[in-house]
Amino acid sequence: MPLIELKDVIKTYHTDGVDTPALSGVSFSVKSGEFVAVMGASGSGKSTLLHILGFLDRHTGGEYLFDGKTIDDYSEKDLARARNEKMGFVFQSFNLLPRLTVFDNVKLPLLYSSVKESRWDGMVTKAVKSVGLEHRTNYESSRLSGGEKQRVAIARALINDPQVIFADEPTGNLDSKSGQTIMEILQKMNEGDGRTIILITHETYTAEHATRIIRLHDGKIESDIAVDHRLKAKDHFKK
């Protein structure tokens, strides 16, 4: 059974009496453990698709099933719980709280989880270590470089051991070296831990860390192909 399955999904925005189609009959599935990159020009529907997949928005037509259950069967409370416990998010803008330490930023999702508080410190320490930032644990996030901030965001996304990580242009605000490091971390999460990752990107070299590339054009799937020569991840970080 696929972890994610879309069947003829449509998304239309209604603004001031004008209908603007964003997705037009999108269908595909993602198995657990896949690393899928979604590419397309600005306005192709990438961000809209991510918002629907991540329970941040609802589709207006078709069907979306997550872990075998249609999104229409989720209440708003169920959606919020699933976002926190089953999904992790990494955004281009990091979305860290600048005055909180690395430790406290990574801990944030646990505040809204059912995990016992006695386990929090150990979980945070493990997540921070997994992205190689033990030496920055007590630094305020405002003191970090862009690459370090994104690594904190990845650790935060991992904290609840989600079924899938959604990464929205995670290298967009980074220099090429830091961006490469971020992609290698994501790839190792996929290769080593079997983590399902869905990456939104406009960069071909970034997409080639995935095992499959879906290209969108004007809200429709233009192509869906396996990556023949996946880029290799260097062994930067040890568990």
Side-chain angles (χ1 to χ4, degrees):
M1 181 179 67
L3 176 62
I4 286 171
E5 188 171 10
L6 279 73
K7 301 178 181 180
D8 295 318
V9 165
I10 295 170
K11 177 63 180 181
T12 303
Y13 292 103
H14 308 282
T15 307
D16 297 329
V18 177
D19 291 347
T20 304
L23 295 176
S24 304
V26 171
S27 299
F28 67 90
S29 61
V30 177
K31 296 177 182 177
S32 181
E34 280 197 271
F35 189 154
V36 179
V38 179
M39 299 190 71
S42 178
S44 63
K46 300 191 306 295
S47 295
T48 297
L49 178 61
L50 176 74
H51 290 163
I52 290 172
L53 292 175
F55 292 178
L56 300 170
D57 197 2
R58 288 184 180 268
H59 55 293
T60 49
E63 188 175 20
Y64 171 28
L65 293 92
F66 181 83
D67 204 15
K69 183 178 178 182
T70 176
I71 188 175
D72 295 327
D73 290 338
Y74 285 80
S75 66
E76 290 301 322
K77 185 176 181 180
D78 289 338
L79 291 175
R81 184 182 299 113
R83 278 195 301 268
N84 188 52
E85 298 179 357
K86 297 184 178 183
M87 301 173 177
F89 296 89
V90 181
F91 296 102
Q92 178 177 343
S93 57
F94 317 130
N95 290 357
L96 302 180
L97 296 181
R99 305 309 299 176
L100 290 187
T101 63
V102 167
F103 187 95
D104 287 337
N105 267 290
V106 174
K107 184 174 71 175
L108 282 173
L110 295 174
L111 302 179
Y112 307 98
S113 74
S114 58
V115 178
K116 292 182 179 179
E117 190 171 350
S118 59
R119 296 181 53 206
W120 291 1
D121 285 5
M123 292 172 68
V124 173
T125 298
K126 181 180 178 181
V128 171
K129 185 177 180 180
S130 74
V131 296
L133 283 180
E134 308 97 300
H135 60 299
R136 295 285 191 260
T137 299
N138 296 315
Y139 277 49
E140 289 185 355
S141 64
S142 59
R143 297 176 58 194
L144 304 178
S145 68
E148 288 173 334
K149 289 177 180 177
Q150 197 60 290
R151 283 153 65 183
V152 175
I154 292 173
R156 182 184 57 194
L158 284 173
I159 194 66
N160 276 324
D161 192 25
Q163 290 176 270
V164 58
I165 296 286
F166 294 107
D168 187 6
E169 300 280 6
T171 63
N173 283 334
L174 306 178
D175 60 66
S176 58
K177 183 178 180 180
S178 296
Q180 179 68 16
T181 298
I182 293 303
M183 290 313 305
E184 289 174 356
I185 292 173
L186 291 174
Q187 186 173 338
K188 288 180 70 64
M189 285 164 47
N190 173 249
E191 292 177 341
D193 302 334
R195 188 82 57 185
T196 305
I197 297 175
I198 296 181
L199 167 73
I200 304 296
T201 184
H202 66 276
E203 300 166 330
T204 300
Y205 83 90
T206 300
E208 288 175 348
H209 284 275
T211 56
R212 175 181 168 197
I213 298 176
I214 295 174
R215 293 183 183 273
L216 292 180
H217 179 72
D218 290 342
K220 297 179 180 180
I221 292 181
E222 186 176 59
S223 62
D224 183 350
I225 59 174
V227 175
D228 290 332
H229 302 288
R230 188 184 193 189
L231 294 180
K232 294 182 179 180
K234 297 178 182 178
D235 194 14
H236 280 306
F237 305 108
K238 304 287 186 180
K239 286 189 176 182

